[in-house]
Amino acid sequence: MCGIFAYVGNDNQSVLKAVRGLKDLEYRGYDSWGVAVKTPQGFFIRKETGKISNIPETDFEKHEGTMSIGHTRWATHGGVSAYNAHPHFNRDKSLVVVHNGIIENHDALREEIAAVFGNDVFRSETDTEVIPLLIDICMERGLSFENAFTEVCKKLHGRFAFVALHKDEPYMLAARDGSPLVMGLAEGEYFIASDTPAFLDYTNEVYFFDNGEYAKISKDAVTFFNLLSGNHVEKKKEKILWEKESASKGGHPHFMLKEILDQRELIENTVRLGGPAVSKAAQTLEKADNIFFTAMGTAAHMGMVGEYLFSRIAKKSVQAVYAAEFDKVLPFINKQSLVCGISQSGETADLLEAFKTTKKKGGKIMSVINVRGSSAERESFLSVPVNAGPERAVASTKAATAQFTILTLLAYALIGKRMQGEKKLTNASHAIKKWLTQELLIHISHIVETIKHNEDLYVIGKSVNYPIALEAALKIKEVSYIHAEGFAAGELKHGTLALIEKGTPCVVLVSNDEYKQDVLNAAQELKARGATIIGISPEAHPVFDHTIVTPDLENETPMALMISSQILAYYLATLRGLDPDKPRNLAKSVTVK
Ligand code: AGP
């Protein structure tokens, strides 16, 4: 979690760039924020709780300096408070640090610091604070800022990306070991950030930091080094193809709505751009003895969708497993195994941990990712990009549909029918484009008006629509804070039915398939106990109290059911007065275990 932004260049109002950059990174954490700019008088530091998006730029204009760092926080160690917000500093505030990740041995390091400086030196409850204080100790012992920085990096256990700045040095230092960090390169300017949208206004040329590397950045030059050996590292410039525009709200009140509507063009795009990578991946999947899809949250639900698709379309057995529960399958990982990670951000800590253990056992790793250059992609010998474009709302919507698309294509490619798959998906894409209109949004918002005060909601589906039911429930609880549960229609009678009362809203997902009657029967049982049935289906059925009609897309109908449930979740949030883009307690990318 957390967003880092840093700037070195010729702009004397660099702090404004930091503030703007942080506003673009707020999706990574938004409980507090802080900036520091190096001025001729030393550092100007401001740290606050709340969202930086609410702060006017005019507040910072008078603090001039060409080097700034900033941070937007998702609290892990220590509560949400201004003193726990970054930047953190040393005793005399001559050096400042912003950090993303987790320092697992911070307790031991605190003791080490206390033995030198005493206990009063700590000003926060964070793990991060040990970094500037340890650098301080090393510098007091005579090391240069740079040598102190590398010494401290070697002491840290866990995952980190951090940037440090000293008031007397003309350069900035940035290191990565486990958490994402990327450098943007413009004329006379360097940007360092956790993610590229923070500087896409200025440049799309980047260097990605690899684990175990640090960079020394001054106004005129940047050099990368290996943290352990100190050897110089040659970096390759890469180009980011995302447009800044695609990372903005495009006139919509929320990113979530904008990203839901992006799905009008999405599937066709994903199909068009994904072909060659899909074919390559299919060849590998074909040869693998045992295949695992692993992921978390929404991506894990898409992994479960993939499990069904591979079974139905390709007759290939695959096991979907939460990355955090990967140990369950570890005994079965060997040289013939293929572990396919699915991740929008490519930075989910549990996924990266699953990759690590797979590698130790000799298994192969591939990934289905959205963010190019992400850790998941860099750890994989093969990756398939879903090309959903930047996803900024915490709730994953278009990335999920794009993952669904790629998994469908992979299933078809496995039986040598990629073109047939492409055709079916392109047709589905056109139908979704026609259907996903303003009228549909209004219709769903009217349904939501009737259920928005309920505090419990259930979603049922069967076959592929079972993981879609799980996903619908996740989306609803994540943004509306309504207790929502998804389950397999057949499970209803085995416990959950006891919870149904008069007026309990139940969302019933029905495709026009061989399971239709089973699901309608389950809906009937819910209705008999007083439930209000919201049917999402290609056609209305008498058991539904409200119907969201989707196009009939055969095997791809679940995509339209999922999009409908995303819209339902969006209106449940907004009509309850909540901001769906920044749900409480959550952040977009979960980079801690
Ligand atoms: C989705 O709405 C969630 N915010 C969350 O479950 C997410 O899908 C999960 O954290 C996985 O993220 P990733 O795709 O970036 O790995």
Side-chain angles (χ1 to χ4, degrees):
M1 312 284 178
C2 303
I4 288 177
F5 184 91
Y7 173 89
V8 181
N10 44 31
D11 186 349
N12 218 17
Q13 295 223 299
S14 63
V15 66
L16 296 186
K17 285 204 160 85
V19 169
R20 285 174 208 143
L22 291 182
K23 287 183 179 181
D24 282 328
L25 286 177
E26 215 174 25
Y27 70 91
R28 301 181 67 86
Y30 35 82
D31 54 41
S32 52
W33 59 272
V35 290
V37 54
K38 191 165 123 178
T39 76
Q41 296 75 41
F43 286 112
F44 161 75
I45 303 170
R46 180 165 165 190
K47 314 205 282 184
E48 273 180 33
T49 56
K51 296 173 184 164
I52 194 168
S53 48
N54 302 331
I55 307 291
E57 287 186 10
T58 44
D59 277 21
F60 301 90
E61 273 165 5
K62 62 175 191 288
H63 303 287
E64 296 197 331
T66 56
M67 288 171 126
S68 286
I69 60 176
H71 188 268
T72 174
R73 181 169 187 248
W74 183 82
T76 49
H77 285 82
V80 178
S81 66
Y83 57 83
N84 282 338
H86 303 213
H88 289 283
F89 32 82
N90 62 335
R91 289 170 302 159
D92 62 358
K93 294 194 182 169
S94 56
L95 74 96
V96 287
V97 168
V98 287
H99 161 238
N100 175 24
I102 238 161
I103 297 163
E104 287 163 358
N105 57 335
H106 73 107
D107 281 335
L109 295 172
R110 273 180 173 255
E111 279 174 28
E112 202 176 314
I113 294 163
V116 181
F117 292 149
N119 266 318
D120 294 345
V121 75
F122 299 107
R123 297 183 181 93
S124 80
E125 300 145 355
T126 65
D127 52 344
T128 303
E129 197 181 7
V130 301
I131 303 175
L133 292 170
L134 286 170
I135 298 178
D136 200 341
I137 292 179
C138 292
M139 289 183 75
E140 187 140 296
R141 289 180 181 153
L143 292 188
S144 68
F145 174 44
E146 186 178 356
N147 287 345
F149 175 92
T150 52
E151 273 316 294
V152 171
C153 285
K154 289 175 199 159
K155 277 175 173 281
L156 306 176
H157 300 169
R159 300 159 50 79
F160 63 75
F162 73 93
V163 181
L165 188 55
H166 193 287
K167 79 173 176 42
D168 299 327
E169 299 297 344
Y171 59 87
M172 188 180 269
L173 297 167
R176 170 188 173 148
D177 203 12
S179 299
L181 207 59
V182 57
M183 181 184 293
L185 312 157
E187 192 63 41
E189 297 185 303
Y190 298 103
F191 302 85
I192 297 152
S194 305
D195 198 0
T196 52
F199 53 70
L200 275 182
D201 269 340
Y202 314 101
T203 182
N204 64 352
E205 288 205 329
V206 301
Y207 288 139
F208 285 106
F209 284 73
D210 279 311
N211 285 337
E213 281 180 1
Y214 81 95
K216 183 174 179 179
I217 314 113
S218 62
K219 232 173 109 177
D220 318 302
V222 57
T223 323
F224 279 80
F225 301 93
N226 181 288
L227 264 172
L228 284 183
S229 66
N231 290 341
H232 176 237
V233 177
E234 214 45 70
K235 298 296 283 185
K236 202 174 121 243
K237 263 190 209 162
E238 295 183 45
K239 260 205 160 72
I240 301 296
L241 300 175
W242 287 355
E243 298 290 332
K244 176 76 184 191
E245 177 50 26
S246 58
S248 71
K249 286 185 198 163
H252 298 289
H254 299 103
F255 279 112
M256 185 176 175
L257 182 60
K258 187 246 175 197
E259 288 159 7
I260 288 172
L261 294 175
D262 279 353
Q263 295 175 108
R264 291 186 284 216
E265 320 284 340
L266 177 90
I267 301 167
E268 192 173 9
N269 244 352
T270 300
V271 167
R272 185 168 43 80
L273 298 169
V278 163
S279 291
K280 217 167 145 200
Q283 285 166 17
T284 307
L285 285 161
E286 211 178 344
K287 285 184 219 132
D289 268 1
N290 48 354
I291 303 170
F292 300 91
F293 287 148
T294 190
M296 295 300 288
T298 292
H301 296 149
M302 293 308 104
M304 290 169 75
V305 164
E307 205 177 12
Y308 280 97
L309 294 175
F310 272 48
S311 155
R312 288 181 70 150
I313 300 169
K315 312 279 176 274
K316 181 103 180 164
S317 163
V318 173
Q319 191 175 344
V321 57
Y322 284 109
E325 295 296 324
F326 198 72
D327 279 7
K328 177 178 79 172
V329 298
L330 217 47
F332 315 112
I333 304 287
N334 54 40
K335 288 198 175 83
Q336 272 69 50
S337 311
L338 180 67
V339 172
C340 174
I342 305 168
S343 177
Q344 189 287 130
S345 65
E347 301 296 345
T348 296
D350 287 310
L351 178 75
L352 298 176
E353 189 62 30
F355 279 4
K356 210 160 141 190
T357 45
T358 299
K359 274 192 181 166
K360 273 194 197 141
K361 300 206 69 177
K364 278 204 180 71
I365 289 166
M366 69 170 262
S367 54
V368 173
I369 42 102
N370 190 33
V371 178
R372 301 310 305 263
S374 59
S375 302
E377 178 169 31
R378 299 172 98 71
E379 291 296 325
S380 304
F381 86 102
L382 182 77
S383 66
V384 186
V386 301
N387 291 302
E391 193 181 64
R392 300 286 299 277
V394 165
S396 187
T397 53
K398 61 177 180 173
T401 302
Q403 288 159 353
F404 194 144
T405 304
I406 288 296
L407 291 164
T408 307
L409 268 186
L410 282 171
Y412 278 105
L414 259 175
I415 49 166
K417 293 188 173 169
R418 196 191 97 200
M419 296 320 264
Q420 188 185 323
E422 288 195 358
K423 205 164 163 231
K424 283 164 85 47
L425 285 160
T426 307
N427 290 341
S429 188
H430 294 162
I432 284 174
K433 188 174 180 175
K434 266 201 210 139
W435 160 76
L436 191 36
T437 58
Q438 201 56 33
E439 287 71 47
L440 176 73
L441 299 184
I442 293 169
H443 174 61
I444 296 180
S445 72
H446 286 160
I447 296 175
V448 168
E449 281 291 356
T450 67
I451 57 165
K452 67 179 182 192
H453 297 302
N454 285 76
E455 289 306 326
D456 303 285
L457 183 153
Y458 301 92
V459 191
I460 61 166
K462 187 170 165 66
S463 184
V464 182
N465 290 338
Y466 163 47
I468 299 295
L470 297 178
E471 172 55 14
L474 173 66
K475 212 92 303 170
I476 290 167
K477 59 188 144 192
E478 183 176 24
V479 298
S480 74
Y481 315 151
I482 291 173
H483 162 237
E485 260 185 66
F487 54 97
E491 269 289 296
L492 191 58
K493 292 191 277 290
H494 300 273
T496 315
L497 204 52
L499 296 172
I500 306 302
E501 294 174 345
K502 189 168 167 22
T504 306
C506 293
V507 177
V508 177
L509 306 174
V510 194
S511 292
N512 243 337
D513 57 14
E514 63 270 45
Y515 310 111
K516 179 167 97 179
Q517 202 48 53
D518 286 347
V519 184
L520 290 173
N521 291 346
Q524 205 66 63
E525 287 158 9
L526 289 165
K527 185 138 179 154
R529 273 84 191 169
T532 300
I533 308 292
I534 299 147
I536 309 184
S537 162
E539 61 205 8
H541 295 284
V543 68
F544 298 161
D545 295 293
H546 306 280
T547 310
I548 300 170
V549 178
T550 69
D552 189 348
L553 307 173
E554 299 171 359
N555 275 349
E556 284 69 49
T557 299
M559 288 180 167
L561 306 185
M562 180 163 78
I563 294 171
S564 304
S565 69
Q566 294 166 353
I567 303 170
L568 199 73
Y570 173 76
Y571 283 111
L572 278 169
T574 51
L575 295 177
R576 285 162 70 95
L578 301 168
D579 175 358
D581 287 348
K582 297 189 178 96
R584 68 184 178 202
N585 308 337
L586 301 179
K588 181 71 181 158
S589 124
V590 185
T591 57
V592 286
K593 284 200 286 169

